[in-house]
């Protein structure tokens, strides 16, 4: 403690912030590692298999075995590839996925950076993820990679609009761009009925499905499309560079799940808030509820992957442009009417 | 002091990236330099406490416009030789444009310099000052008509672009989605009951 006190106050706060950043990042990366295991286990049980169970007790050390294997593999850069962009592309896809956690309200009163325009920041960062994919596809100098990148870029641009409109409605309902205030706007005596999923139900569905499409997950994984274009944009990647792409995909999944929990399921609020009171164990808001809601959406990601066949490309485009965008626009007007007439319990 | 150091760091990167945009041989590299330049100008705006403009610059230009730009540039088959051959032909026009821009820039800096003298450093705003809210309040009250007009003009541009590029091709096979959704199992599958064959 003596050493700590001898540091000037300015540097102390810098060190505290750095420590918090490191803690959040490490937790997210650990979550990514175990999400890969969870995916294999969940899909295994859905398909009546056991899944990985050899490394460590119940297969719990499998993610570490995978990581070590990938780190030890040789990184092959195709001879006609654009070397600099080829290496930098995976980094461009992981950075936004991790940086967006800066504005995430994890539990009451804690956000790494409590900024006013938090939602805009999240939108701006999630729109950057597409660069990694496009550059990877182009720099590989391979036709399959380029096709995958093109598909992915068109898909992300299309679904970003529906996502943005859904978030406009969230901002209208909450009256704030700050993620912490959006969570607090959903608090109320009716518990889980007070959350925005009910008044914004169509947008909740649109947002989550657009999130699936943004992260290039099944059933919207045409950017990878194993059966048609081998592995899409990352077909030429191996070893560490591939691992980083993998990390980015799963980090994005966790991010989208957490954001859906914050925007529509009241973040760290308890579903029994009004019923049990704030003091009881299950009625108190906290990180536990936030994690539980995020895990629910993550399970949905895995569940959908095991259940649905891949969408055809033109149908993905039709769903994004011709179904989701009109639905969101209509519901923004409905929401405007609800706010104007002060429909209880949300807007009274 | 710290802010000034940050400003010079990001301004240097910005100027470097801008030079990169015009000197890069590879068009994709040029686009990536432009992305870097946008990013650094967004950071400069953040230093001026204009966080809404900064984030929107990243969201709109980096997140949407430049992606489409990159899309187009990657699809183009740029022949460097043929681009270079036009250099002497377009050089005089380039010089004219350069002179006009230089004069304009000098004038802007000169006028601003006259006006800004004596203001000194920016006074930081209180922490709870919400730039986004202030901007929204102004846009939707005082500048409402201008804002709506801009929106309508953009809409007209979208409609024009679509109507210019849309062609109706005859003989195209398309699906009727409503029909596909309305299909029931009975329309497609017929279950036939058959007696099992005699054992041979």
């Amino acid at each position: 403690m003596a050493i700590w006190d001898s540091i000037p106050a300015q540097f102390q706060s810098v060190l505290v912030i750095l420590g918090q950043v490191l803690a959040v990042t490490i937790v997210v990366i650990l979550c990514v590692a175990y999400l890969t295991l969870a995916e294999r286990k969940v899909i295994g049980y859905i398909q009546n298999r056991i899944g990985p169970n050899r490394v460590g007790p119940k297969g719990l050390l499998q993610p570490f075995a995978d990581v070590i294997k990938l780190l030890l593999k040789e990184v092959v850069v195709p001879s006609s590839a654009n070397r600099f962009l080829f290496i930098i592309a995976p980094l461009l896809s992981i950075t936004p996925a991790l940086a967006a956690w800066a504005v995430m309200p994890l539990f009451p009163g804690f956000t790494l950076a409590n900024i006013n325009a938090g939602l805009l920041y999240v939108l701006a960062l999630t729109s950057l993820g597409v660069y990694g994919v496009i550059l990877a596809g182009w720099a590989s100098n391979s036709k399959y990679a380029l096709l995958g990148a093109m598909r992915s870029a068109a898909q992300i641009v299309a679904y970003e609009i529906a996502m943005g409109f859904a978030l406009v409605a969230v901002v209208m309902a909450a009256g704030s761009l700050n993620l912490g205030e959006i969570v607090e706007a959903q608090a109320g005596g009716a518990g889980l009925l007070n959350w925005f999923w009910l008044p914004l139900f169509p947008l909740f569905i649109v947002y989550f499905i657009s999130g699936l499409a943004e992260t290039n997950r099944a059933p919207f994984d045409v950017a990878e499309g194993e059966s048609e274009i081998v592995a899409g944009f990352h077909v030429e990647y191996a070893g560490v560079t591939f691992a980083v792409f993998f990390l980015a995909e799963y980090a994005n999944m966790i991010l989208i799940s957490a954001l859906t929990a914050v925007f529509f399921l009241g973040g760290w609020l308890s579903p029994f808030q009004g019923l049990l009171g704030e003091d009881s164990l299950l009625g108190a808001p906290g990180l536990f509820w936030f994690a539980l809601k995020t895990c629910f959406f993550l399970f949905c990601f895995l569940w959908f992957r095991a259940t649905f066949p891949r969408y055809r490309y033109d149908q993905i485009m039709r769903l994004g442009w011709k179904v989701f965008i009109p639905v969101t626009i209509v519901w923004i007007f409905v929401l405007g009417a609800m706010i104007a007439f002060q429909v209880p319990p949300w807007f009274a | 002091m710290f802010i000034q150091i940050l400003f010079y760091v990001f301004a240097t990167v910005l100027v470097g990236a801008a030079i990169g945009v015009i000197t890069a041989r590879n068009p994709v590299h040029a686009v990536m330099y432009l992305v870097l330049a946008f990013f650094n100008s967004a950071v400069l705006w953040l230093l001026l406490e204009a966080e809404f403009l900064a984030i929107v610059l990243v969201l709109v230009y980096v997140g949407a416009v430049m992606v489409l730009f990159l899309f187009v540039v990657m699809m183009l088959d740029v022949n460097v030789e043929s681009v270079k051959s036009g250099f002497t032909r377009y050089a005089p026009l380039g010089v004219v444009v350069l002179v006009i821009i230089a004069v304009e820039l000098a004038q802007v800096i000169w006028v601003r310099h006259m006006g800004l003298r004596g203001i000194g450093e920016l006074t930081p705003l209180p922490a709870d000052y919400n730039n986004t809210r202030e901007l929204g309040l102004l846009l939707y009250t005082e500048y409402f008509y201008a804002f709506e007009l801009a929106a309508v003009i953009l809409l007209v541009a979208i409609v024009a672009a679509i109507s210019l590029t849309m062609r109706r091709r005859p003989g195209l096979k398309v699906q009727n989605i409503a029909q596909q959704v309305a299909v029931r199992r009975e329309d497609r599958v017929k279950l036939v009951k058959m007696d099992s064959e005699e054992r041979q």
Side-chain angles (χ1 to χ4, degrees):
Chain A
M1 275 286 85
I3 306 170
W4 179 249
D5 289 332
S6 67
I7 304 172
Q10 258 184 327
F11 286 103
Q12 270 184 3
S13 65
V14 170
L15 283 180
V16 168
I17 292 171
L18 272 182
Q20 287 174 341
V21 170
L22 211 63
V24 170
T25 314
I26 288 174
V27 169
V28 170
I29 289 178
L30 272 181
C31 286
V32 168
Y34 276 94
L35 182 58
T36 59
L37 179 67
E39 170 161 49
R40 295 168 70 180
K41 277 282 185 191
V42 167
I43 292 180
Y45 278 110
I46 288 176
Q47 296 168 345
N48 216 352
R49 298 182 283 116
I50 295 175
N53 66 345
R54 292 290 130 180
V55 190
K58 304 262 176 201
L60 278 177
L61 295 179
Q62 182 70 39
F64 298 101
D66 290 343
V67 167
I68 291 167
K69 186 199 84 174
L70 281 171
L71 288 182
L72 292 179
K73 271 187 153 180
E74 184 189 0
V75 178
V76 184
V77 181
S79 57
S80 56
N82 188 315
R83 206 182 167 85
F84 178 68
L85 290 180
F86 187 82
I87 301 290
I88 210 156
L91 296 177
L92 279 180
S93 64
I94 183 77
T95 317
L98 290 178
W101 282 89
V103 293
M104 191 70 72
L106 293 176
F107 46 87
F110 179 78
T111 312
L112 276 179
N114 194 9
I115 60 173
N116 283 325
L119 192 140
L120 274 177
Y121 171 83
V122 166
L123 263 182
L125 277 180
T126 47
S127 68
L128 294 184
V130 64
Y131 278 101
V133 175
I134 299 186
L135 285 180
W138 183 79
S140 307
N141 204 1
S142 148
K143 55 188 159 200
Y144 295 122
L146 189 65
L147 280 175
M150 286 297 150
R151 286 177 173 196
S152 163
Q155 183 178 321
I156 290 178
V157 169
Y159 280 86
E160 221 167 60
I161 300 172
M163 239 176 163
F165 273 134
L167 293 186
V168 165
V170 172
V171 173
M172 278 168 72
S176 171
L177 284 169
N178 181 308
L179 297 196
E181 282 172 26
I182 289 175
V183 171
E184 274 156 22
Q186 302 179 50
L192 80 163
L193 297 181
N194 247 352
W195 301 342
F196 287 155
W197 67 272
L198 205 51
L200 303 179
F201 190 70
L203 301 183
F204 168 48
I205 303 295
V206 165
Y207 184 82
F208 188 61
I209 296 178
S210 303
L212 272 176
E214 287 268 294
T215 46
N216 285 326
R217 289 289 298 182
F220 301 104
D221 56 347
V222 287
E224 288 184 37
E226 299 91 343
S227 47
E228 311 136 38
I229 50 172
V230 198
F233 63 92
H234 59 55
V235 65
E236 303 289 349
Y237 283 84
V240 186
T241 49
F242 172 75
V244 174
F245 266 125
F246 210 67
L247 192 69
E249 181 181 333
Y250 284 80
N252 271 322
M253 279 166 67
I254 300 178
L255 180 70
I256 292 289
S257 303
L259 286 175
T260 317
V262 165
F263 294 141
F264 297 99
L265 287 193
W268 32 256
L269 293 173
S270 157
F272 312 113
Q273 201 183 14
L275 253 65
L276 301 174
E278 295 249 347
D279 313 319
S280 59
L281 187 67
L282 283 179
L287 181 63
F288 168 70
W289 291 114
F290 180 57
L292 196 71
K293 290 164 191 173
T294 308
C295 287
F296 168 70
F297 287 117
L298 284 175
F299 177 73
C300 289
F301 266 94
L302 309 181
W303 185 15
F304 293 158
R305 179 170 172 200
T307 311
F308 294 123
R310 185 175 296 138
Y311 253 82
R312 219 176 53 207
Y313 187 69
D314 59 318
Q315 289 179 338
I316 292 181
M317 285 296 136
R318 184 183 157 269
L319 184 71
W321 290 104
K322 292 188 177 171
V323 178
F324 280 177
I325 294 177
V327 165
T328 50
I329 292 176
V330 166
W331 205 259
I332 283 175
F333 281 99
V334 173
L335 180 71
M338 284 205 280
I339 294 173
F341 290 110
Q342 301 194 329
V343 177
W346 310 289
F347 310 114
Chain B
M1 186 60 205
F2 183 59
I3 300 279
Q4 270 184 342
I5 295 173
L6 278 184
F7 171 81
Y8 281 113
V9 169
F10 285 112
T12 316
V13 178
L14 172 59
V15 173
I19 292 172
V21 175
I22 50 172
T23 54
R25 289 281 173 88
N26 191 324
V28 172
H29 287 179
V31 172
M32 289 321 289
Y33 274 122
L34 195 53
V35 169
L36 186 63
F38 276 132
F39 234 101
N40 280 286
S41 28
V43 175
L44 292 188
W45 282 354
L46 268 185
L47 292 179
L48 287 173
E49 303 193 3
E51 77 267 6
F52 180 77
L53 283 179
I55 296 177
V56 166
L57 181 74
V58 173
L59 179 62
V60 174
Y61 282 90
V62 180
V65 175
M66 293 316 288
V67 171
L68 296 179
F69 225 84
L70 203 57
F71 224 26
V72 174
V73 165
M74 274 157 58
M75 288 282 114
L76 287 180
D77 188 22
V78 183
N79 189 345
V80 182
E81 284 308 307
S82 69
V83 171
K84 271 189 193 163
S85 68
F87 182 75
T88 44
R89 228 178 85 207
Y90 298 121
L93 189 66
V95 170
V96 171
V97 172
L98 183 80
V99 169
I100 293 174
I101 290 176
V103 168
E104 279 179 349
L105 271 179
Q107 206 178 6
V108 166
I109 292 169
W110 185 63
V111 170
R112 286 288 297 273
H113 187 67
M114 301 289 279
L116 276 179
R117 188 175 294 162
I119 287 181
E121 274 197 25
L122 241 93
T123 43
L125 293 159
D128 60 339
Y129 177 80
N130 194 336
N131 188 303
T132 316
R133 177 180 293 270
E134 298 295 317
L135 212 62
L137 281 176
L138 271 184
L139 275 184
Y140 280 97
T141 53
E142 209 163 313
Y143 298 104
F144 183 71
Y145 285 116
F147 182 69
E148 291 295 314
L149 267 181
V152 171
I153 290 172
L154 279 176
L155 184 68
V156 170
I158 294 175
V159 173
I162 293 175
S163 61
L164 278 177
T165 51
M166 198 165 88
R167 297 165 292 162
R168 288 219 176 276
R169 280 176 291 176
L172 203 64
K173 283 182 179 156
V174 287
Q175 297 159 323
N176 187 339
I177 301 290
Q179 241 172 37
Q180 284 194 331
V181 172
V183 160
R184 292 285 158 265
R185 196 188 68 160
E186 293 77 48
D187 307 339
R188 297 278 168 89
V189 183
K190 194 168 136 200
L191 290 182
V192 183
K193 184 82 181 155
M194 284 178 74
D195 295 328
S196 55
E197 285 179 25
E198 292 273 319
R199 177 172 271 195
Q200 302 285 318

